[in-house]
Amino acid sequence: MPIIETRELRKVFRSVKRTPGAVGAIKTLFSRETVERVAVEGVTMSLDAGELVGYIGPNGAGKSTTIKMLTGILVPTSGEIRVAGLVPHLDRKKNARNIGVVFGQRSQLYWDLPLVESFELLRAIYAVPRDRFKANMAEFTQLLEMGDFLNTPVRQLSLGQRMRGDFAAAMLHDPRIVYLDEPTIGLDVLAKEAIREFVARVNAERGTTFILTTHDLADVERLCKRIVLIDEGRVIYDGGVEGIKEQYGTHRTLVVSLAGDPGTVAVADAELESREGNVVRLRFDRKAISADQLIRRVTEHYAVNDVSIEEPELESIIRRIYVEGYTDPLVAAP
Amino acid sequence: MSDIAFGDTTRGRSLTNAAEAYLEFARKAFSRESTYRVEVFTSIGSLVLRVYLLRSLWTALYSQNIAPSRIPLHAMITYATVALLMSLVLEVDGTRLIRDKVREGTIATDLMKPISQPLYWFSDGIGQTMFHALTIVPSLAFALLLVHIDVPSPGVFLAFALSFVLGYLVNFFLNFLMNVIAFWTLEAFAMQMMVRWASDLLSGQILPLEFFPGILGAIVMGLPFASIYSTPLRIYIGELPPSAWLPAIAVQVGWIALFAALAAIAWRFAEKRIIVQGG
């Protein structure tokens, strides 16, 4: 049975129409004219317990709005929604006990107080039994390497330390579902890796369900088997990470290191992507030409030291989908 | 039978749990306030300076026979000094954080917690207040080096203390209401300032409301602001005889009930707007 289910979830924001300028400001005061903005246009999805799903899309696609509806702090305009058996906005406080939330851009920790005091407060809020709290604290302190700064006021922590604190804070009450909203934004490589490691581990060991919203697709590649891609409020892809690469990553890049300088480089069926000194990058469609054929064509005309093939990264695939739209009618949502 | 008993114990436990959470909010607010120590010293220092200035001012005014003769000079100095000590607590706007949270959007994180928001702000406000209440003792000690204040009988002092607590609650819920209303009109700073100035002048903080003449005096005494400083202070200096205590305290309770109810209603509307409109 799925732990999160939404059907035709829709959210329309209404606001009073504003006219610019001083006269406009007065007009706005008396005007009852409203403008509508559709943030989410019929999102249907279903997540099983223990899944770790990447929920991605460009800015303004409706990701945050969906997450807000799942946490119960936003009422849907229409559609159905169930999280662990509850309708979040009707049972907000009960739902709150089942979920944990991490926002990369804002913290739920007490700014002026030592980190550990925020944890104690959360223990009281969620009424976490003392032994459970102790066990979680011990485990998280070790996994997130928080031992050195538990007693430091949060305002003195580095961003990486603060985010570790926020992750621990979101999971102290053993939530069944955790929403991560851009959790690695602004972090250095080490902190990013520590956090990814932590998420992977909690997911594997505790079976916690995660929805990860991010613009860093390396997070998704590292953590998620499944992605839900949303654009203009609609789901445009829902499936495996490998699947989308298979479908959309039709282009590969052949990197050729030339032995000498042959002047201009041109090969049929391949597009010259870039050239730096002797290294030439050729982008090709694997449906038009196989890698093997292309390499032969290159070596026929040029003296070559080395060749390698680059697989497309998720990021470049997603970028293309944002720009061109998802077109495969077999997988695209209705 | 056993089911009922079980239900009762779990309810009892969850009540204790809830109480613990709100107590913890108050404790954390207390610790948070205590991180700004320099502020504490400057506020005590400025208070002692103001005690001295007010003593000089009232002494000068009385020597010119400007003040109403009903209140003798020593009572006037007592009034001014105790009012300053009360302001250490009453000037804490414990629910200001509502406005900041709405503006910065952090209110969303709070709404994702299994807690009652108004109770949370109330506990947080109490915690902040408790810290500032502690500064009354050293401030009083320093003030006593500069001025003599009348010491009332234990009975009068108890009535004053009760009335002070009620005055605190009137002030708290009035602020609460203003801070929630600010949610709709984030730019309504001017309105806020006007209420603040009205409160400063009409609460009896700066000067006793007896100074307002005739009909104006009657109106001012009937406003909710009078419950904040004037009522407890008039009990303290003996302007209100014991027979008038009960009605005065009943009026304070009435204002508390009204403002608490209005604040709760305003919050319900605000919350509804947040969860429908997204803030």
Side-chain angles (χ1 to χ4, degrees):
Chain A
M1 211 190 86
I3 194 164
I4 294 176
E5 241 186 326
T6 73
R7 228 185 28 229
E8 284 302 307
L9 194 62
R10 201 162 175 272
K11 181 68 198 180
V12 182
F13 289 111
R14 276 188 191 84
S15 56
V16 177
K17 193 177 174 185
R18 287 187 191 280
T19 327
V23 182
I26 295 168
K27 249 191 197 162
T28 307
L29 270 177
F30 299 102
S31 153
R32 290 287 99 201
E33 223 179 316
T34 54
V35 274
E36 288 193 352
R37 187 175 64 81
V38 181
V40 173
E41 178 87 284
V43 165
T44 301
M45 62 177 170
S46 162
L47 264 74
D48 286 325
E51 274 198 276
L52 207 168
V53 175
Y55 192 55
I56 56 184
N59 290 328
K63 301 183 302 278
S64 294
T65 306
T66 314
I67 300 288
K68 280 183 179 170
M69 288 192 277
L70 289 172
T71 57
I73 66 162
L74 200 58
V75 180
T77 307
S78 64
E80 282 170 42
I81 182 165
R82 278 198 175 266
V83 175
L86 300 170
V87 179
H89 60 275
L90 296 181
D91 242 335
R92 197 180 72 220
K93 282 191 222 167
K94 239 184 185 169
N95 183 58
R97 295 192 175 277
N98 293 331
I99 63 168
V101 187
V102 177
F103 291 108
Q105 313 245 43
R106 59 178 76 132
S107 178
Q108 61 164 314
L109 305 168
Y110 266 52
W111 199 240
D112 290 321
L113 299 182
L115 181 58
V116 70
E117 296 208 28
S118 286
F119 297 150
E120 281 163 14
L121 181 67
L122 288 162
R123 187 196 62 72
I125 291 176
Y126 292 99
V128 183
R130 297 235 176 229
D131 47 345
R132 191 76 205 111
F133 176 74
K134 257 192 184 161
N136 274 345
M137 276 303 293
E139 187 181 341
F140 296 161
T141 306
Q142 194 228 328
L143 283 179
L144 293 165
E145 294 169 18
M146 297 191 298
D148 293 338
F149 53 87
L150 272 179
N151 292 306
T152 310
V154 173
R155 72 181 124 82
Q156 292 171 15
L157 297 180
S158 72
L159 182 62
Q161 293 172 328
R162 204 210 76 202
M163 277 317 297
R164 291 169 207 221
D166 262 306
F167 264 86
M171 302 198 190
L172 272 178
H173 60 289
D174 296 316
R176 296 168 65 190
I177 303 150
V178 175
Y179 304 107
L180 307 174
D181 193 352
E182 302 250 8
T184 56
I185 197 162
L187 297 183
D188 65 42
V189 229
L190 279 177
K192 266 184 191 177
E193 194 41 44
I195 291 216
R196 288 172 188 158
E197 176 79 39
F198 179 71
V199 171
R201 201 153 163 174
V202 171
N203 174 252
E205 286 176 6
R206 304 186 174 206
T208 309
T209 309
F210 284 89
I211 292 191
L212 167 65
T213 297
T214 183
H215 287 298
D216 185 346
L217 291 158
D219 287 347
V220 176
E221 273 194 301
R222 163 83 165 74
L223 291 170
C224 309
K225 284 199 185 71
R226 174 180 166 196
I227 60 175
V228 174
L229 190 58
I230 165 172
D231 196 12
E232 290 175 3
R234 290 174 194 279
V235 175
I236 56 173
Y237 177 84
D238 181 351
V241 174
E242 289 311 313
I244 201 166
K245 279 189 174 177
E246 196 83 0
Q247 300 256 351
Y248 249 80
T250 49
H251 286 75
R252 303 237 178 319
T253 303
L254 184 72
V255 184
V256 184
S257 178
L258 299 166
D261 187 353
T264 41
V265 175
V267 184
D269 292 322
E271 180 192 334
L272 184 67
E273 202 177 83
S274 70
R275 180 173 175 181
E276 280 167 44
N278 288 346
V279 180
V280 176
R281 299 170 60 86
L282 297 163
R283 188 163 175 270
F284 66 99
D285 187 342
R286 66 182 165 139
K287 283 178 190 156
I289 182 171
S290 75
D292 177 48
Q293 283 175 311
L294 184 65
I295 292 169
R296 254 184 283 143
R297 242 179 241 181
V298 171
T299 47
E300 267 170 30
H301 295 93
Y302 308 102
V304 167
N305 273 343
D306 192 16
V307 291
S308 64
I309 294 174
E310 277 179 10
E311 294 287 314
E313 287 201 340
L314 188 56
E315 181 158 345
S316 63
I317 294 172
I318 301 289
R319 196 189 309 129
R320 246 186 84 203
I321 295 176
Y322 288 171
V323 176
E324 294 166 14
Y326 193 87
T327 46
D328 191 334
L330 289 174
V331 196
Chain B
M1 189 62 203
S2 63
D3 273 1
I4 294 166
F6 178 71
D8 280 348
T9 45
T10 47
R11 183 185 298 169
R13 216 192 59 202
S14 69
L15 266 180
T16 327
N17 284 339
E20 198 194 345
Y22 296 111
L23 197 66
E24 201 61 37
F25 282 131
R27 270 199 214 119
K28 292 296 176 255
F30 184 96
S31 322
R32 209 176 58 213
E33 289 299 300
S34 66
T35 49
Y36 298 99
R37 270 165 229 202
V38 180
E39 220 171 280
V40 172
F41 292 122
T42 51
S43 87
I44 293 176
S46 114
L47 181 120
V48 173
L49 186 66
R50 279 185 290 161
V51 164
Y52 178 73
L53 288 175
L54 279 179
R55 187 195 73 169
S56 313
L57 177 70
W58 286 116
T59 310
L61 288 175
Y62 269 71
S63 71
Q64 301 295 313
N65 285 323
I66 290 169
S69 55
R70 219 168 76 205
I71 304 172
L73 179 60
H74 67 91
M76 191 58 239
I77 289 173
T78 302
Y79 185 104
T81 307
V82 176
L84 279 173
L85 292 171
M86 287 167 72
S87 75
L88 282 174
V89 159
L90 291 171
E91 278 179 0
V92 180
D93 186 356
T95 49
R96 230 203 102 84
L97 82 162
I98 300 175
R99 275 158 57 188
D100 301 341
K101 286 189 165 191
V102 168
R103 196 168 334 147
E104 290 159 15
T106 47
I107 193 111
T109 333
D110 288 342
L111 286 169
M112 289 174 195
K113 296 261 162 14
I115 51 167
S116 147
Q117 298 295 316
L119 266 180
Y120 155 52
W121 289 319
F122 184 71
S123 322
D124 194 279
I126 294 283
Q128 294 178 49
T129 306
M130 291 313 280
F131 176 76
H132 291 278
L134 284 185
T135 61
I136 288 184
V137 180
S139 304
L140 177 65
F142 281 117
L144 286 178
L145 295 174
L146 296 171
V147 292
H148 272 291
I149 62 171
D150 298 346
V151 180
S153 71
V156 171
F157 188 79
L158 277 180
F160 159 77
L162 173 64
S163 181
F164 178 25
V165 170
L166 296 175
Y168 165 80
L169 291 173
V170 173
N171 186 52
F172 180 88
F173 286 115
L174 182 62
N175 281 335
F176 195 160
L177 180 63
M178 296 303 298
N179 285 322
V180 174
I181 288 175
F183 174 75
W184 279 274
T185 49
L186 280 179
E187 289 95 33
F189 185 63
M191 179 194 69
Q192 298 253 320
M193 287 312 285
M194 271 168 62
V195 172
R196 172 133 292 218
W197 286 331
S199 167
D200 282 352
L201 192 63
L202 306 178
S203 65
Q205 179 189 1
I206 296 168
L207 84 175
L209 300 183
E210 280 82 356
F211 281 41
F212 287 91
I215 182 86
L216 194 60
I219 292 172
V220 167
M221 290 276 199
L223 293 176
F225 304 116
S227 285
I228 302 171
Y229 281 94
S230 184
T231 305
L233 282 167
R234 288 169 79 216
I235 291 175
Y236 190 104
I237 63 166
E239 268 285 296
L240 278 184
S243 61
W245 289 354
L246 205 58
I249 281 172
V251 168
Q252 286 185 302
V253 172
W255 288 123
I256 294 168
L258 180 70
F259 287 135
L262 287 177
I265 292 167
W267 168 247
R268 282 194 81 89
F269 277 106
E271 185 184 272
K272 194 155 182 200
R273 192 181 132 141
I274 297 172
I275 65 172
V276 172
Q277 278 297 314

